[in-house]
């Protein structure tokens, strides 16, 4: 979504009050990801439209915690009342997550192998996701002789076949491509892993915060998460539920995974407990209550 206003029937019910939900920063995102110039006439028009919507809105809800920072950096705070800006992140439906975990289990010998430390990635396997870097991490760990650490990659995409062939060519036997799985099976998969891995290309938008649904599913699994991209208002750091190494290379990620593999049960469980705390705070039920308060302020 670019800018997602609350449906018309809700605004009508509340005397035509206008709530603007901002999930992605546009046109900032197309500048960052598509390389368009900020002086492009279309981009300039979109900036004007964006600012106009912020000015006209009665309430603004950013999924990124740094929404106010963005407004200030644009120099719009004189026209946009910062007091009407709120932050409600994406999250996870814990009730549905736990239901799916129990009711959609799969037979997978790699997941059931208690003799391996399982690092799991779920998501698309294409150029933009740069899953090749995860393969490089696995290769580095393989070369160090840690044969009990395996990477299970769930998902599909244009790069999958190339990466499978790459692993075969260089004998990277600690990476297993599991293919596409339905979303309702993901909770069970995550619950059986030992470490979740998040990988992103660093860019200037990350400083405003993260609103990734996958991250909250990782938390709900009750397992630590390792990330190579530090976000502004970083939630993994805030809850101490994993490891964040900003812009880390494959070797650095490999070293941190090995450290966690060798860490004490006490340290590992510390991350696990904090992941559950984070998931509960970002349960949809709590987020809905926050949104209700925003709406009630308009009455």
């Amino acid at each position: 979504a670019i800018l997602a206003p609350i449906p018309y029937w809700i605004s009508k019910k509340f005397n035509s009050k206008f709530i603007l939900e901002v999930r992605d920063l546009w046109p900032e995102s197309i500048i960052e990801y598509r390389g368009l110039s900020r002086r492009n006439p279309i981009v300039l028009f979109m900036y004007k439209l964006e600012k106009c919507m912020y000015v006209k809105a009665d309430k603004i809800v950013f999924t990124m915690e740094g929404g106010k920072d963005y407004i200030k950096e644009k120099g719009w705070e004189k026209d946009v009342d910062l007091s009407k800006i709120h932050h409600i992140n994406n999250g996870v439906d814990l009730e549905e997550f736990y239901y799916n975990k129990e009711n959609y289990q799969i037979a997978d010998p790699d997941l059931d192998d208690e003799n391996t430390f399982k690092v799991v990635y779920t998501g698309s396997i294409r150029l933009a996701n740069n899953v090749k870097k995860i393969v490089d991490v696995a290769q580095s760990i393989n070369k160090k002789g840690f044969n009990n650490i395996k990477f299970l990659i769930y998902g599909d995409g244009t790069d999958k076949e190339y990466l499978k062939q790459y692993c075969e060519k260089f004998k990277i036997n600690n990476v297993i491509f599991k293919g596409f799985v339905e979303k309702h099976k993901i909770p069970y998969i995550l619950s059986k892993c030992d470490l979740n891995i998040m990988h992103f290309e660093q860019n200037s938008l990350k400083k405003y915060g993260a609103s990734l649904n996958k991250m909250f599913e990782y938390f709900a699994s009750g397992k630590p998460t390792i990330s190579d991209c530090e976000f502004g208002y970083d939630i993994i750091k805030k809850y101490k539920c994993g490891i964040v190494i900003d812009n880390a290379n494959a070797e650095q990620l490999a070293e941190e995974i090995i450290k966690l593999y060798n860490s004490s049960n006490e340290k590992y469980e510390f991350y696990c407990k904090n992941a559950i705390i984070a998931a509960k705070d970002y349960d949809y039920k709590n987020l809905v209550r926050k949104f209700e308060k925003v709406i009630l302020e308009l009455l």
Side-chain angles (χ1 to χ4, degrees):
I2 298 177
L3 298 165
I6 300 307
Y8 172 77
W9 69 269
I10 294 180
S11 62
K12 187 75 174 176
K13 182 177 179 180
F14 294 111
N15 299 318
S16 297
K17 297 293 186 180
F18 180 62
I19 303 175
L20 189 67
E21 179 186 9
V22 186
R23 299 177 183 173
D24 296 294
L25 292 173
W26 290 79
E28 205 68 29
S29 292
I30 59 174
I31 292 170
E32 188 64 41
Y33 293 112
R34 300 296 182 184
L36 290 182
S37 169
R38 283 185 168 80
R39 296 183 180 181
N40 183 301
I42 296 175
V43 171
L44 291 174
F45 171 77
M46 291 181 71
Y47 273 132
K48 288 184 178 180
L49 178 62
E50 179 190 22
K51 180 182 177 182
C52 180
M53 295 182 77
Y54 291 145
V55 172
K56 296 292 184 181
D58 295 284
K59 293 288 183 181
I60 305 170
V61 177
F62 279 92
T63 58
M64 300 81 67
E65 194 168 351
K68 287 184 181 180
D69 299 337
Y70 176 73
I71 297 296
K72 291 177 182 178
E73 288 178 15
K74 287 297 176 190
W76 295 343
E77 68 270 25
K78 292 182 180 179
D79 303 303
V80 180
D81 182 3
L82 297 181
S83 67
K84 66 182 181 182
I85 296 176
H86 300 265
H87 163 243
I88 303 175
N89 213 315
N90 286 324
V92 60
D93 185 334
L94 283 181
E95 184 177 346
E96 180 182 40
F97 184 94
Y98 294 141
Y99 176 86
N100 289 342
K101 183 181 76 170
E102 295 301 323
N103 291 278
Y104 295 102
Q105 300 183 7
I106 61 175
D108 188 328
D110 294 308
L111 279 177
D112 293 334
D113 188 352
E114 296 181 356
N115 296 317
T116 63
F117 184 88
K118 296 170 284 290
V119 183
V120 166
Y121 168 87
T122 61
S124 297
I125 306 173
R126 52 193 176 90
L127 183 63
N129 301 92
N130 192 18
V131 178
K132 169 64 164 56
K133 185 174 181 180
I134 297 176
V135 171
D136 291 339
V137 174
Q139 185 177 29
S140 176
I141 289 175
N142 207 22
K143 288 180 178 179
K144 296 176 189 296
F146 289 89
N147 300 319
N148 288 340
I149 301 176
K150 288 190 176 181
F151 289 73
L152 308 182
I153 298 179
Y154 291 85
D156 207 347
T158 53
D159 275 14
K160 188 180 78 170
E161 288 306 314
Y162 157 71
L163 291 175
K164 286 180 69 175
Q165 293 173 16
Y166 182 89
C167 289
E168 291 172 5
K169 180 179 179 180
F170 292 98
K171 295 180 172 45
I172 308 171
N173 54 20
N174 59 340
V175 177
I176 304 171
F177 291 90
K178 309 299 291 187
F180 172 81
V181 291
E182 296 89 345
K183 183 173 175 59
H184 58 266
K185 295 179 181 177
I186 294 295
Y188 177 75
I189 291 168
L190 296 180
S191 72
K192 298 287 285 185
C193 79
D194 296 291
L195 176 65
N196 300 299
I197 186 166
M198 290 181 59
H199 163 58
F200 302 95
E201 294 296 330
Q202 188 70 50
N203 61 56
S204 63
L205 295 179
K206 300 293 190 292
K207 63 184 176 181
Y208 300 117
S211 57
L212 305 154
N213 286 326
K214 178 167 69 174
M215 178 169 64
F216 301 104
E217 288 187 333
Y218 281 0
F219 295 162
S221 74
K223 303 299 172 63
T225 298
I226 187 168
S227 171
D228 66 350
C229 179
E230 181 178 5
F231 290 88
Y233 306 93
D234 197 282
I235 298 174
I236 298 175
K237 282 190 168 184
K238 176 182 177 181
Y239 283 88
K240 297 181 175 62
C241 56
I243 302 163
V244 179
I245 319 167
D246 186 23
N247 205 26
N249 58 37
E251 185 66 24
Q252 290 172 315
L253 282 173
E255 289 293 338
E256 289 299 325
I257 291 172
I258 291 170
K259 285 180 184 178
L260 185 62
Y261 170 73
N262 287 325
S263 67
S264 65
N265 287 336
E266 183 180 3
K267 182 176 182 180
Y268 182 80
E269 289 301 322
F270 172 79
Y271 287 136
C272 293
K273 290 177 182 178
N274 287 342
I276 293 296
I277 293 171
K280 288 180 178 178
D281 284 351
Y282 289 94
D283 184 2
Y284 281 157
K285 290 180 180 178
N286 289 327
L287 301 180
V288 166
R289 282 192 282 269
K290 288 183 179 181
F291 190 67
E292 287 175 344
K293 290 180 180 179
V294 174
I295 293 177
L296 290 174
E297 289 179 6
L298 296 174
L299 296 179

